[in-house]
Amino acid sequence: NSIIITLDELSSYVLAIKQKFPKVNIKLLSMSKAQQMAFGHFILPNAYQLGIKHINNNYLVIKKWISYLQKGINPKTNHEIDQFYNLLNQNNLIITNENYKYLFKNKKVFIIGIDKDNTELKHLIEKLEINQSQISYITTDDLFPEIKVPVTKYSLISLEVKDALYKIIDLIQNKHVSPKDIVICTNNDECCFYLKLFAKELKINLKFQENQTLFDTPFARVVFNHLNQNSIDFLDSLKTNDEIARKIIKQVFIDYHLMEIQDKTILKLNYASILKDIPYNQQEENDKEFIIVLKNKYFHPYKHIFYLSLTNSSFNVVSKDNDLLPDKIKKVNYLQDSNELNKTNSNLCKSF
């Protein structure tokens, strides 16, 4: 019996490999799941709603506090975080189980893609009482040995996109690859524009990740432009053919006490941020007919992945010391500071 702990971004990759060996008894945990086991699972969205009503009316602040607590920060580091933590405990919105550490007793533990000096990992290992003698570390260099893949430079993004789509057509028509086994990754807006333009022309069905939240619905945008109202009744007067979106948005206003927020800037920020966290699939067609287009890094050993408009900085988002808690506070509270986050992300980006 063994356990794997890996970065959230690598979970689908490692799972796909694991599924090829169904008889091998290995439990897979993402880093965030392992941290929940160690430091507590927060009941969402109830925790967000309680925090907004009683502690701080900024949704993004509450969300950040929960991320800190889920990674094991000492709540007493910050007065408001401590208030929030006590409030959640009083309302039974944190689930903890000290018995989780026994899951790791006498088990071989493989740490994949996480540096052994990672602050949060060291805190996790200590909390779960895992002995170093149990652990084997597998780096991203070990996981992704140098593989020669075709890389082509283009003078124009339009040419790159069209060439990629013709290669995808070839995979589907001549090599019988299912569209669900093809993924396009790009965070370049011009590239996305040409993908939509040429895909329509070539009759290729694409499904863009960024169109999958409630905030991306036309009705949500209409509501955003009417947030100067004083009563929730205005939602019923706005015209839309999407009654499901109207119903969900109305419930969001109620659950998150949005109409109680006097500051219209905070109201707009909360409204947009909450809706962006709510998945909303507007397409009824079968996903098997679509090729997914992602704006983030994606790893999978058995899918055909096209990275478009790729540069050294495409997905290597640089973190700076401008978070809610500064790096000097994070260092003494077992949280990754900006330097560690950059190192982790850089290692991931080297993978492709």
Side-chain angles (χ1 to χ4, degrees):
N1 291 348
S2 303
I3 297 172
I4 293 173
I5 300 175
T6 188
L7 290 171
D8 290 37
E9 295 93 334
L10 294 175
S11 292
S12 60
Y13 184 93
V14 176
L15 178 62
I17 296 175
K18 178 179 175 292
Q19 288 173 338
K20 287 287 185 179
F21 306 96
K23 294 184 179 180
V24 178
N25 188 9
I26 299 179
K27 184 175 182 63
L28 172 63
L29 296 172
S30 66
M31 182 66 170
S32 62
K33 180 62 178 176
Q35 287 173 322
Q36 282 183 13
M37 295 169 71
F39 306 114
H41 172 70
F42 293 74
I43 307 299
L44 304 176
N46 308 60
Y48 294 144
Q49 294 160 6
L50 198 67
I52 288 172
K53 183 172 177 61
H54 295 286
I55 307 293
N56 188 306
N57 67 2
N58 190 319
Y59 172 77
L60 292 178
V61 170
I62 296 293
K63 186 177 177 181
K64 182 66 72 173
W65 288 351
I66 288 178
S67 77
Y68 293 153
L69 291 167
Q70 285 178 326
K71 294 173 182 177
I73 190 176
N74 182 349
K76 297 190 182 299
T77 298
N78 177 283
H79 176 65
E80 281 192 308
I81 294 178
D82 193 34
Q83 271 189 307
F84 179 50
Y85 183 76
N86 290 332
L87 181 67
L88 295 181
N89 265 326
Q90 291 164 12
N91 287 272
N92 300 314
L93 293 179
I94 307 175
I95 300 173
T96 56
N97 187 347
E98 286 293 321
N99 292 327
Y100 272 133
K101 62 187 177 185
Y102 298 112
L103 174 68
F104 298 85
K105 194 174 180 63
N106 300 323
K107 300 275 179 67
K108 185 67 179 175
V109 179
F110 296 92
I111 308 291
I112 298 180
I114 310 171
D115 194 280
K116 65 173 63 177
D117 294 322
N118 183 290
T119 302
E120 291 177 15
L121 177 64
K122 289 196 289 186
H123 190 204
L124 177 70
I125 289 170
E126 180 184 345
K127 180 68 175 178
L128 292 174
E129 300 180 5
I130 304 172
N131 295 321
Q132 285 295 330
S133 59
Q134 297 174 241
I135 302 173
S136 292
Y137 294 91
I138 300 173
T139 68
T140 48
D141 289 338
D142 297 327
L143 190 62
F144 300 101
E146 193 170 341
I147 302 171
K148 295 188 181 297
V149 295
V151 178
T152 308
K153 291 183 178 180
Y154 296 86
S155 57
L156 295 171
I157 288 179
S158 58
L159 295 176
E160 177 184 14
V161 171
K162 185 161 275 193
D163 187 42
L165 292 177
Y166 278 126
K167 288 176 180 175
I168 287 171
I169 290 172
D170 179 62
L171 285 173
I172 295 171
Q173 293 183 350
N174 299 323
K175 298 180 181 176
H176 309 294
V177 174
S178 170
K180 70 182 178 67
D181 291 326
I182 302 172
V183 177
I184 298 172
C185 295
T186 182
N187 58 7
N188 182 295
D189 290 338
E190 186 180 355
C191 198
C192 289
F193 168 78
Y194 282 115
L195 279 170
K196 292 172 183 176
L197 180 68
F198 295 145
K200 187 175 182 180
E201 176 186 313
L202 297 171
K203 294 182 173 53
I204 297 175
N205 294 321
L206 301 181
K207 187 174 182 181
F208 286 80
Q209 182 192 45
E210 70 271 24
N211 291 333
Q212 293 181 318
T213 74
L214 188 56
F215 188 69
D216 293 297
T217 62
F219 182 67
R221 301 305 178 99
V222 171
V223 173
F224 185 81
N225 293 326
H226 288 78
L227 287 177
N228 57 344
Q229 306 295 316
N230 296 318
S231 169
I232 196 174
D233 295 337
F234 82 95
L235 291 172
D236 294 323
S237 64
L238 299 176
K239 293 182 179 179
T240 181
N241 293 323
D242 193 346
E243 290 300 327
I244 295 176
R246 189 202 302 272
K247 181 179 179 181
I248 297 173
I249 290 172
K250 194 169 185 177
Q251 195 61 47
V252 165
F253 270 81
I254 296 169
D255 292 342
Y256 289 88
H257 316 283
L258 294 185
M259 295 311 298
E260 297 175 22
I261 299 174
Q262 301 300 316
D263 187 326
K264 296 303 181 186
T265 301
I266 295 293
L267 172 58
K268 287 189 173 184
L269 178 64
N270 279 8
Y271 172 81
S273 302
I274 293 167
L275 265 60
K276 286 177 181 177
D277 280 346
I278 300 176
Y280 191 78
N281 190 353
Q282 297 164 264
Q283 295 170 327
E284 298 179 357
E285 296 92 337
N286 192 324
D287 282 357
K288 291 183 179 180
E289 299 176 359
F290 286 84
I291 294 166
I292 300 294
V293 182
L294 303 176
K295 280 200 168 188
N296 52 288
K297 298 182 290 288
Y298 180 76
F299 305 91
H300 198 286
Y302 311 119
K303 290 185 185 289
H304 298 265
I305 304 173
F306 289 79
Y307 280 97
L308 303 184
S309 301
L310 188 64
T311 65
N312 289 335
S313 61
S314 289
F315 294 96
N316 195 6
V317 180
V318 177
S319 297
K320 298 180 181 179
D321 187 9
N322 58 2
D323 199 4
L324 206 58
L325 291 181
D327 280 354
K328 65 180 181 180
I329 300 295
K330 288 182 176 181
K331 284 182 178 179
V332 297
N333 279 281
Y334 311 106
L335 298 176
Q336 289 190 86
D337 62 14
S338 56
N339 290 326
E340 278 194 285
L341 287 169
N342 288 330
K343 183 178 179 181
T344 299
N345 200 51
S346 179
N347 287 339
L348 278 176
C349 288
K350 285 177 185 175
S351 306
F352 58 87

